């Protein structure tokens, strides 16, 4: 396994060079001291505004501000309270925009997921490039062009721009709460089943793999996930490699032009819980923790699917009892309470719904390619019990109960996950093949993953 500096040089730096937006990604110990010089080299003007929440500011605010001042920048700060936990919403991000108006200070996001997404959105809307100081390896959004935000109750990924430069000080990131590192690991682990979903879409002619984003993420993923115990120990090289992996995923989304390389059914499950504002032990459950459980649920479904023989499916029989678009709308109406969510879910579902004739063709394809597809999935995917071991070693949740989700709620979430994105993923295949209920009844039986 290459050391992390080699990996940065050989994998991350060439990817950054291909980015249309990101000019520099600095990952090293003590990097915070270079904040001022880095901002100077990539931005115009002499004013900077640093956005942070209280936790992020106490972790890295003072040295960042000092470094900026030493470089001659006038610095203002905009610090939002840590409690209640700020929600990544368009409504909150809009309140940042007046602070960026002409003459436009350099926007700096100092923090992790929420702050980064809020600033990314506000800067984009003001047509300003921004600078990102990462304080935790907690998610893959630092280098991504999309801002996943809640707008009117619906979590969507809004097209924006990636930061112009990203600074990641390993001393600061290693000092972040252990749980945050485990969230980043969970977010990265989700790329395993997300890759399975993309293979399905590729094999069925829905959305082909590409030759840039796919290998960039999937060829390195097992290496990035290989040493969760070192991560839990706070080992610098393990944290650097996790950060590198998360950054590369962000770049892969830019290159592909959508979040397909990073997000499948695992994320659809997580987004539903984030939209609900899922709480456990009095706290919001983080994105990465939701993804970890979404990842495990999806992998368990894949384990089941791979054991089936879909070459014996009877398309004519399946079509005769397949749900119509009207049936799906009725299910959507019964699943969600919020009229805005229902409207969006209907649109997303309509976009991928197949009329009987097209469904027949899809099923004929599935029957004919199944042995190949089964082999591809089998060689790509990690088995769920193996992933459970890795996630546990990283300190991430595995079972739905680990984040306060009951078995019934998990079932409902898995069923609902197919409605919130037009993206073709595992629950869509299960539904089209007439296997969705059987899969859920067989697989979602607690405890899904018993501790060793
Ligand atoms: Zn994610």
């Amino acid at each position: 396994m290459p050391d992390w500096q080699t990996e940065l040089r050989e994998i991350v730096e060439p990817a950054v060079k291909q980015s249309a937006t990101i000019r520099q990604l600095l990952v090293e110990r003590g990097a915070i001291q270079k904040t001022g010089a880095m901002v100077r080299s990539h931005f115009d003007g002499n004013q900077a505004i640093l956005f942070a929440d209280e936790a992020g500011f106490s972790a890295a605010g003072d040295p960042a501000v000092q470094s900026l001042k030493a470089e001659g920048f006038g610095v203002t700060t905009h610090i939002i309270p840590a409690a209640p936990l700020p929600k990544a919403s368009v409504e909150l991000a809009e309140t940042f925009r007046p602070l960026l108006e002409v003459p436009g200070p350099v926007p700096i996001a100092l923090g992790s997921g929420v702050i980064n997404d809020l600033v990314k959105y506000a800067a984009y809307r003001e047509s300003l490039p921004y600078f990102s100081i990462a304080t935790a390896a907690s998610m893959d959004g630092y280098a991504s062009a999309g801002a996943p935000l809640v707008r009117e109750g619906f979590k969507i990924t809004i097209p924006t721009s990636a930061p112009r430069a990203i600074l990641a000080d390993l001393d600061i990131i290693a000092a972040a709460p252990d749980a945050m590192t485990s969230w980043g690991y969970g977010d990265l682990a989700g790329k395993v089943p997300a890759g399975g979903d993309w293979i399905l879409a590729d094999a069925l002619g829905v959305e082909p793999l590409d030759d840039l984003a796919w290998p960039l993420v999937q060829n390195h993923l097992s290496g990035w996930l290989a040493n969760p115990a070192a991560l839990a120990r706070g080992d610098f090289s393990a944290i650097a490699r996790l950060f590198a992996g998360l950054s590369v995923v962000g770049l892969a989304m830019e290159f592909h032009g959508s979040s397909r390389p990073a997000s499948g059914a695992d994320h659809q499950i997580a987004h539903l819980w984030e939209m609900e504002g899922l709480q456990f032990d009095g706290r919001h459950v983080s994105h990465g923790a939701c993804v970890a459980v979404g990842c495990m649920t999806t992998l368990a479904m894949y384990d089941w699917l791979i054991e089936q023989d879909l070459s014996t499916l009877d398309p004519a029989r399946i079509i005769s009892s397949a749900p119509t678009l009207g049936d799906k709308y009725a299910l959507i109406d019964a699943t969600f309470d919020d009229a805005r969510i229902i409207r969006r879910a209907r649109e997303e579902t309509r976009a991928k719904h197949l009329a009987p004739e097209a469904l027949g063709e899809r099923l004929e394809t599935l029957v004919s390619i199944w042995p190949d597809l089964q082999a591809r999935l089998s060689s790509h995917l990690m088995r769920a019990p193996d992933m459970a071991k890795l996630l546990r070693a990283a300190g991430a949740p595995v079972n739905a109960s680990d984040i306060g989700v009951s078995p019934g709620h998990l079932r409902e979430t898995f069923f609902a996950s197919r409605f919130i994105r037009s993206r073709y993923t595992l629950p869509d295949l299960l539904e089209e093949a007439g296997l969705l209920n059987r899969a859920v009844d067989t697989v979602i039986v607690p405890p899904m993953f018993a501790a060793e």
Side-chain angles (χ1 to χ4, degrees):
M1 188 180 292
D3 68 61
W4 66 272
Q5 277 114 336
T6 307
E7 193 166 291
L8 277 175
R9 215 169 34 247
E10 293 181 354
I11 301 168
V12 182
E13 284 177 17
V16 168
K17 280 209 177 72
Q18 285 180 273
S19 169
T21 313
I22 304 174
R23 298 181 184 175
Q24 188 182 4
L25 170 66
L26 180 67
V27 182
E28 62 183 39
R29 296 188 64 179
I32 198 75
Q33 309 299 339
K34 297 183 178 173
T35 303
M38 217 172 140
V39 173
R40 176 64 71 206
S41 72
H42 296 297
F43 295 85
D44 300 326
N46 284 309
Q47 295 295 321
I49 178 165
L50 194 145
F51 295 89
D53 66 17
E54 289 168 341
F57 195 84
S58 70
D62 286 338
V65 169
Q66 279 167 20
S67 172
L68 286 160
K69 285 184 172 166
E71 196 64 38
F73 284 97
V75 185
T76 52
T77 56
H78 185 74
I79 299 167
I80 58 177
L85 211 63
K87 195 167 183 179
S89 69
V90 168
E91 291 79 5
L92 180 55
E94 283 288 337
T95 68
F96 288 10
R97 289 181 61 190
L99 302 166
L100 298 177
E101 279 168 5
V102 186
V106 177
I108 300 178
L110 183 147
S112 56
V114 174
I115 282 290
N116 194 59
D117 291 332
L118 294 170
V119 176
K120 182 184 305 204
Y121 172 89
Y124 179 77
R125 293 300 307 274
E126 294 297 327
S127 305
L128 289 173
Y130 83 103
F131 185 74
S132 170
I133 301 174
T135 55
S138 53
M139 48 91 221
D140 62 18
Y142 292 112
S144 90
L149 294 170
V150 173
R151 179 163 66 197
E152 297 181 334
F154 199 90
K155 181 131 184 166
I156 50 169
T157 300
I158 300 173
T160 53
S161 283
R164 182 171 280 179
I166 303 170
L167 181 152
D169 184 326
L170 290 173
D171 290 294
I172 290 167
I173 289 174
D178 292 348
M180 295 188 83
T181 310
S182 79
W183 301 338
Y185 188 88
D187 203 8
L188 197 57
K191 309 327 170 203
V192 175
D197 289 342
W198 201 356
I199 288 173
L200 292 184
D202 177 71
L204 293 169
V206 180
E207 196 178 343
L209 298 188
D210 73 358
D211 51 16
L212 185 54
W214 172 269
L216 192 57
V217 173
Q218 298 295 340
N219 289 3
H220 307 291
L221 188 51
S222 53
W224 292 326
L225 293 172
N227 202 348
L231 215 50
R233 282 198 307 272
D235 178 271
F236 284 115
S237 79
I239 288 170
R241 297 183 84 234
L242 173 62
F243 194 85
L246 291 167
S247 302
V248 166
V249 169
L251 289 161
M253 290 189 258
E254 179 194 329
F255 301 154
H256 188 69
S258 84
S259 61
R260 172 59 99 171
S263 166
D266 62 300
H267 266 66
Q268 289 161 211
I269 292 167
H271 287 329
L272 282 165
W273 291 330
E274 292 169 75
M275 281 156 60
E276 290 164 16
L278 178 68
Q279 298 207 3
F280 186 51
D281 279 346
R283 293 181 60 105
H284 271 105
V285 181
S286 74
H287 172 70
C290 290
V291 173
V293 176
C295 166
M296 286 306 306
T297 307
T298 313
L299 282 180
M301 287 287 176
Y302 270 117
D303 284 353
W304 180 85
L305 180 72
I306 287 169
E307 287 172 12
Q308 311 307 307
D309 182 4
L310 304 195
S311 61
T312 62
L313 290 178
D314 177 353
R317 192 184 58 78
I318 294 167
I319 292 167
S320 68
S321 57
T324 64
L325 187 57
D327 294 335
K328 291 178 185 175
Y329 284 173
L331 278 172
I332 288 169
D333 295 351
T335 299
F336 301 103
D337 295 325
D338 188 320
R340 297 165 305 184
I341 296 177
I342 289 172
R343 195 175 62 238
R344 278 299 302 258
R346 282 176 167 228
E347 283 170 24
E348 300 286 337
T349 301
R350 187 177 62 234
K352 60 183 169 183
H353 176 77
L354 296 180
E357 195 181 331
L359 177 59
E361 285 170 19
R362 168 124 349 131
L363 290 169
E364 296 290 355
T365 304
L366 180 60
V367 165
S368 68
I369 65 168
W370 177 246
D372 279 347
L373 177 55
Q374 187 181 34
R376 278 177 79 186
L377 290 170
S378 186
S379 80
H380 166 78
L381 291 165
M382 198 180 289
R383 299 288 95 81
D386 296 332
M387 181 64 92
K389 279 186 203 144
L390 293 177
L391 285 168
R392 283 202 175 97
V398 169
N399 280 300
S401 58
D402 297 341
I403 57 169
V405 170
S406 70
H409 191 182
L410 178 61
R411 283 172 61 97
E412 287 164 16
T413 307
F414 191 80
F415 282 125
S417 66
R418 69 197 195 276
F419 295 138
I420 62 161
R421 287 286 186 280
S422 59
R423 177 164 299 154
Y424 191 85
T425 61
L426 175 62
D428 296 308
L429 176 118
L430 292 171
E431 180 175 62
E432 288 173 355
L435 296 169
L436 183 59
N437 288 314
R438 190 146 68 86
V440 168
D441 287 345
T442 313
V443 176
I444 302 185
V445 181
M448 288 174 65
F449 314 105
E452 304 261 305

